């Protein structure tokens, strides 16, 4: 394993410590509960937003904390759900009189931790709701999931509810917007290589030199099928067809198009992938209203990409265009 | 080779096409000369800024084009200097009455191309100056270089001269600022793995599973020495010591600290590296005034990092804090 790590058990804590050191004016790291929060949270007149999941998907979600997006993120260890008591403590730290919305990607372990924390928080008198994100069209059930998985589409949910919360929307309204964005968002990814978790020290699965995993999960879960490596145009064509056909997105739709790198794919390749996806959509009469190219939700050092589409209306477009002051880039 | 490419000879053009498609309001791709320029260039009342180099270092430099940074970038093929006539055509397209500053990382091929283009442009009556960037402390001469190499520190030169040009500084003043920033900027990088150029289809050099290249160049050039893989703290310690000792940066200095990923290293590891570098500097009484963590100047899919320091004064701090509207993130 060739990585910048010390003791693998310290990997997440040392990453979070670096994140807070690099953003001393805006972020706070709370080592007891392994969480990153806005230095100025809670904001009394704003719904607070909390996201959590396993680590290893950075910049999701710890680098999406800041004005205009999350109030806190409570990551677990690499590819492990956060403990329920860490989620509970996070909710306590950022609870606002306007309530708390919990954003949860649809994995069984994350659901359990957040549902338990939601119950404990409600018993304390906190007004809290939970929203599940499940944008991955690749498979119906999966290794760690009943129903569809939540992947890079979570970025758009976080961004839209973050903007709505800043504008003063109440908890029901923020929840409605999150549900709405999730309902028009679809993603699919593919892996060229496996990823290597620091504590394991070797690739999480075997992928031959001439094969790719089409529809891979962000924890290396199996996708739709293992295929031969092909040209970028052919592989991206499969991704785009799968995503477009699912909602479906149709001629006349206006969309946000995201090409997300899974951690080991250079930005130059991501723009090549973007160009292919853009031309395919334009050829079908689908207008690209907003473009996102970069890393949003990764799988450690996996080489691969995912494609996400969001069907835009004026409400969603305006919320996505809102300001955000977070460590990751936002356009 | 597992990459998102079609025909490798089309790699750069298809990447640039994707970049322009993703930024239709701000960028223009000119296929004849393989260049990316601001859609609104030239600005009559502003010095124009042009950078070029081999491709494969994205986001440098094609993703640094936009208001507040470059007016145009003219990349060559992967790891190859741009042809002199492409540089010359780029200068013609963006030439402003206030003049043109050419920014060149110190590699022999790039110097030749830009010096030829500068001569041709001057013969046409364009007011033009050239600035060389050479921030890499690893080695004195190198495979493609007489003198020190230019690496990720070029970001700070581009950002500072970009801000100065937007504020209306004349060509001599913009050149002075670029020289000044370069003179207080130092970098060094290291590779965990080699990179694979699309046209070669195999790793550019051999690096055993237990070895790293300390002081590597961004084209895979040899560094100071090949070492055993160590803990992140030990390896980052070597990088920071080499950079700090060179200028040298001393107690009481205020600096910008950049941890730059070389393409294949995930952002989580970059923040871990940042935390180690930050604590080392703070322990020496060096204050971190600005922090940069992410990919700024890469070497395709190489796993590795570089560390850059810039000694700040009020003038440089203000210029680095200026706005920039470019595809890459800027803080």
């Amino acid at each position: 394993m060739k990585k910048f790590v010390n003791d693998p058990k310290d990997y997440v804590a040392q990453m979070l410590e670096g994140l807070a050191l690099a953003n001393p004016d805006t972020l706070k790291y709370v080592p007891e509960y392994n969480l990153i929060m806005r230095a100025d949270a809670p904001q009394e007149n704003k719904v607070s937003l909390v996201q959590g999941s396993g680590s290893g998907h950075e910049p999701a979600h710890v680098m999406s904390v800041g004005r205009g997006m999350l109030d806190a993120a409570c990551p677990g260890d690499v590819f492990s759900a956060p403990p329920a008591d860490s989620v509970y403590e996070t909710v306590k730290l950022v609870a606002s009189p306007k309530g708390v919305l919990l954003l949860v990607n649809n994995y069984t372990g994350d659901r359990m931790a957040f549902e338990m924390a939601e119950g404990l928080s409600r018993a304390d008198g906190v007004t809290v709701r939970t929203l599940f994100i499940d944008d991955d069209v690749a498979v119906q059930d999966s290794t760690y999931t009943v129903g569809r998985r939540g992947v890079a589409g979570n970025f758009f949910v976080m961004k839209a509810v973050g903007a709505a919360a800043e504008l003063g929307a109440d908890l029901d309204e923020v929840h409605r917007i999150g549900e709405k964005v999730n309902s028009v968002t679809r993603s699919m990814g593919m892996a060229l290589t496996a990823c290597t978790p620091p504590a394991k020290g070797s690739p999480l699965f075997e992928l031959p030199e001439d094969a790719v995993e089409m529809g891979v999960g962000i924890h290396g879960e199996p996708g739709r099928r293992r295929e031969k490596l092909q040209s970028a145009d052919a592989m991206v064509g499969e991704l785009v067809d799968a995503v477009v056909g699912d909602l479906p997105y149709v001629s006349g739709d206006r969309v946000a198009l995201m090409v997300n790198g899974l951690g080991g794919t250079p930005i130059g390749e991501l723009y090549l992938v973007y160009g292919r996806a853009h031309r395919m959509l334009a050829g079908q009469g689908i207008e690209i209203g907003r473009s996102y190219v970069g890393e949003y939700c990764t799988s450690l050092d996996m080489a691969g990409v995912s494609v996400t589409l969001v069907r835009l209306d004026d409400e969603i477009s305006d919320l996505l265009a809102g300001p955000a002051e977070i460590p990751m880039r936002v356009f």
Side-chain angles (χ1 to χ4, degrees), chain A:
Chain A
M1 174 178 67
K2 297 186 105 169
K3 284 184 182 294
F4 292 97
V5 291
N6 297 299
D7 186 330
K9 75 173 166 41
D10 299 328
Y11 173 69
V12 173
Q14 292 183 343
M15 168 184 74
L16 298 180
E17 189 180 54
L19 178 61
L21 285 170
N23 297 277
D25 299 332
T26 54
L27 298 185
K28 193 165 126 187
Y29 168 46
V30 183
E32 304 90 288
Y33 309 116
N34 212 38
L35 71 90
I36 291 284
M37 58 186 283
R38 280 174 64 161
D40 60 359
Q43 298 282 306
E44 294 293 311
N45 52 359
K46 186 185 94 59
V47 172
S48 287
L49 304 169
V50 174
Q51 167 78 286
S53 72
S55 291
H57 307 302
E58 295 74 28
H61 306 282
V62 290
M63 296 159 201
S64 299
V65 178
R67 197 173 69 81
M69 288 188 80
L70 302 179
D71 292 272
C74 51
D77 209 339
V78 171
F79 294 175
S80 299
D85 67 324
S86 292
V87 182
Y88 173 51
E89 297 293 341
T90 305
V91 173
K92 281 204 275 195
L93 280 169
V94 302
S96 130
K98 293 197 74 167
V100 181
L101 181 66
L102 306 179
L103 300 164
V104 187
N105 285 350
N106 185 41
Y107 298 95
T108 304
D110 293 300
R111 288 188 76 119
M112 285 175 60
F114 275 81
E115 282 166 356
M116 191 174 298
E118 182 184 1
L120 292 167
S121 304
R122 192 166 286 141
D124 288 348
V126 178
T127 305
V128 56
R129 294 191 68 173
T130 301
L131 177 71
F132 298 103
I133 301 160
D134 60 350
D135 55 307
D136 188 348
V137 307
V139 292
Q140 181 55 31
D141 299 328
S142 184
T143 316
Y144 311 110
T145 320
V146 176
R148 287 183 164 185
R149 304 177 294 219
V151 290
N154 65 46
F155 170 83
F156 294 103
V157 177
M158 288 191 290
K159 182 69 191 66
V161 300
E166 292 291 345
L167 293 171
D170 66 20
L171 182 57
D172 286 345
E173 173 70 355
V174 172
H175 186 275
R176 177 191 70 79
I177 286 166
E179 291 273 24
K180 175 179 165 180
V181 174
N182 185 58
S183 75
V184 295
T185 300
R186 296 290 188 276
S187 302
M188 195 163 100
M190 60 170 293
L192 300 184
T193 69
C195 56
T196 297
K200 184 169 190 293
S202 60
L204 197 55
F205 57 98
E206 293 299 317
L207 197 52
E209 188 52 37
D210 64 345
V212 306
E213 183 72 29
M214 183 62 65
V216 72
I218 56 174
H219 314 91
E221 306 98 304
R224 292 185 172 184
R225 56 185 167 272
R226 192 155 287 188
E227 300 183 358
K228 286 281 179 202
L229 179 69
Q230 301 172 77
S231 71
D233 282 356
M235 297 188 293
V236 177
E238 281 190 56
L239 286 179
V240 171
D241 284 343
V243 173
V244 168
D246 190 88
L247 188 63
Y249 302 87
V250 297
S251 180
D253 280 352
R254 190 161 169 273
V255 299
L257 166 59
M258 171 189 279
V259 171
N260 169 57
L262 294 181
T265 290
I267 186 77
E269 291 178 48
L270 299 184
Y271 273 103
L272 183 150
V273 168
Y274 176 89
R276 165 64 169 156
H278 182 113
R279 287 189 304 270
M280 281 183 71
L281 295 170
Q284 295 174 45
I286 298 171
E287 181 194 352
I288 293 100
R290 300 184 65 81
S291 302
Y292 300 77
V293 185
E295 292 179 349
Y296 294 86
C297 184
T298 63
S299 185
L300 295 167
D301 54 353
M302 183 184 281
V305 301
S306 66
V307 171
T308 297
L309 293 180
V310 185
R311 191 170 60 207
L312 299 174
D313 60 13
D314 289 346
E315 180 179 49
I316 297 176
S317 287
D318 288 349
L319 293 168
L320 294 182
E325 291 176 7
I326 60 171
M328 72 177 291
R329 71 177 210 169
V330 178
F331 290 101

